[in-house]
Every structure is written in C-alpha cells, then in structure tokens.
Amino acid sequence: MITAISGHGPYEFNESALNAAAGGIPAGPAGGISADHWFGVEPQKGRDTFARIVYGARVSMLIGISATAVTTVLGVTLGMLAGFFGGRVDQIISRIMDFLMAFPALIFMIAVLSAIPQGNRPMLLVIVLSIFSWTHTARVIRGQTMSLANREFVEAAHASGAGPLTITFKEILPNLSGTVIVMATLAVPRFIATEAGLSFLGVGVTPPTPSWGQMIATAVPWYSADPMFFAIPGMFLFLTVFSFTVLGDNLQQAWATGGRA
C-alpha cells in the first residue's frame, strides 16, 4: 500500500533513471533523488530505493518480532520451570543453557545458515536466531522465579491445593510480566541488527527479497560514487534499532519507578 503511493515496486528496473555513460550510476544528484524516486534508485539496476526500503522494513520487522516472540515463549517457559521446580529439572535446563551459551553464536549461525538449503529464508532465520538466543531470557526468568517461589502468595496457593503448573503460570508469571515486556522490547532491535548483519554477510535474506543488510552490502562498492545508496538503508537500520532500544530503556525505567512507588 505504501509503495503504491510512490508508483514503484521493489523489483521494477528503471533504466531511464540511470546514467549509462557514467557506468550506470543514478542520473541526477544525491543518488537520483527526485519527485519520481523519493530516495533515489539502485546503481546499474535502477530499482526504486524507497520501495526496497519499505519492503526491507517488512522483512526486518517480521524476523525481529517473530524471533522475539519465539525466544520469549521458550525462555520464559523453561526459565520458570527451572526456577520453580529446581532439582533435576533445573539441572537439565541449566545444562542445556550452558551448552548453548558456550557456543560462539554468530559463527554457528553463519555456519548453519550456509549449510542448510535456501527454503523459506525468513523462517529459517527466525528458527536459528531463536535456538541461540532464548537462553538469555531463561537465565533472568529462572533467577526471578526462584526468588518469587518462596513468597507468601505462592505459599497461599500451595495451601489452597493449587498444582505446580497452576502456580507457575497463574501466580508467578503475572509477577514477571514487567521483566518479560522489557526484555522482549530490547530483544527486537538485537534481532533486527543480527538479521541485517547476517544478510550483509550473504547468509541471511537472499535476493531478490529486499533486506536492509543486503542493501548495505550491495552499496559498499558504490559508497564513493553514490553515497546516498549506502547512507539511506544504513540510516533506517540505525534509527529502527535506536528507537526500539530507547523504548526498551524507557519501559525499564518506568517499570522500576512504578515498582518502587
């Protein structure tokens, strides 16, 4: 719907917007920015940068939010089970967390994504990111669950005959909601930045599907001839990550202030 306003799609080649005599760089100043192409065009191919930024935002947000959702569900569930039940359950879950946290995650992400077939790349990225990232959430939730397990309201639930799972998900989980929301908000920019880095390295989202990291990688050889082609996706990536980070920090401060009050 947004690209319909500009009149250009992300896969359309616009050779008329290029200067063939100059090696295919965009015609006009600032990377071909004009009333027809709001953010200019891609060198040699002439694809509209605005359209690719918009479609790249959809991919980045989809992967970032989906990976955050999967990571949060896994981390919160396993962290609560480990913290509440303790004993052998805690040992098993903690050893799995130690095992995954011992891996150099980025290197293994690159290796795994390079080895597996292309398939549905965004879904594969969500799965790989989630496998290596849920442990951080689980660690925090485990510690907080252990401190809540001895509180009076838990003892009262035990006395009333509530089962362990009922206490875990109906009594303890609501008291962890602030931590979960803050951690989820801070996880989104981390996943967006990681996806961009993997796409920049060529193992993330594959062409022709637009991705900000992929656009930055494509723009590297052109940064001197067409700096705007490099600067625009970099600016959007930075502003998106920065915005989510600020939102998470403010939520954390607001929750801490509310808790003290």
Side-chain angles (χ1 to χ4, degrees):
M1 292 175 62
I2 296 174
T3 54
I5 301 173
S6 68
H8 297 285
Y11 309 113
E12 298 174 5
F13 294 89
N14 302 283
E15 296 181 359
S16 60
L18 301 175
N19 186 345
I25 65 173
I33 293 178
S34 64
D36 192 32
H37 298 285
W38 301 342
F39 292 166
V41 296
E42 185 180 14
Q44 290 190 329
K45 297 179 180 178
R47 293 182 294 192
D48 187 75
T49 302
F50 173 79
R52 294 185 67 77
I53 286 289
V54 171
Y55 274 74
R58 184 174 69 176
V59 171
S60 296
M61 296 291 287
L62 173 66
I63 293 173
I65 293 174
S66 299
T68 298
V70 174
T71 299
T72 301
V73 171
L74 282 174
V76 170
T77 301
L78 294 175
M80 285 195 305
L81 293 176
F84 182 78
F85 287 98
R88 182 166 295 181
V89 174
D90 184 25
Q91 290 179 4
I92 293 173
I93 295 175
S94 295
R95 295 298 78 77
I96 294 173
M97 289 192 288
D98 292 339
F99 177 77
L100 290 174
M101 294 179 74
F103 279 94
L106 182 59
I107 295 175
F108 275 86
M109 286 181 194
I110 295 171
V112 171
L113 290 169
S114 300
I116 59 180
Q118 295 294 325
N120 187 336
R121 209 62 179 178
M123 182 180 294
L124 291 175
L125 281 166
V126 170
I127 294 172
V128 172
L129 288 170
S130 301
I131 288 173
F132 287 100
S133 302
W134 65 268
T135 54
H136 302 285
T137 301
R139 282 287 189 195
V140 175
I141 296 300
R142 172 183 174 272
Q144 295 204 1
T145 301
M146 292 175 70
S147 66
L148 290 171
N150 298 318
R151 299 281 292 273
E152 292 81 1
F153 66 90
V154 175
E155 296 293 338
H158 271 300
S160 66
L165 292 179
T166 301
I167 295 173
T168 303
F169 290 98
K170 289 189 176 182
E171 300 293 337
I172 294 178
L173 180 58
N175 288 275
L176 297 171
S177 58
T179 301
V180 172
I181 291 171
V182 171
M183 292 189 69
T185 308
L186 291 173
V188 173
R190 185 174 73 249
F191 286 129
I192 291 175
T194 303
E195 178 276 322
L198 293 171
S199 297
F200 180 88
L201 295 172
V203 296
V205 178
T206 54
T209 304
S211 164
W212 290 346
Q214 177 197 117
M215 291 179 69
I216 294 172
T218 305
V220 168
W222 297 95
Y223 73 91
S224 58
D226 184 8
M228 293 302 295
F229 184 48
F230 181 87
I232 289 175
M235 178 186 68
F236 273 90
L237 176 61
F238 165 75
L239 290 176
T240 302
V241 172
F242 180 71
S243 298
F244 273 104
T245 303
V246 171
L247 174 62
D249 287 342
N250 283 310
L251 280 176
Q252 191 172 29
Q253 293 175 11
W255 210 274
T257 302
R260 287 194 299 268

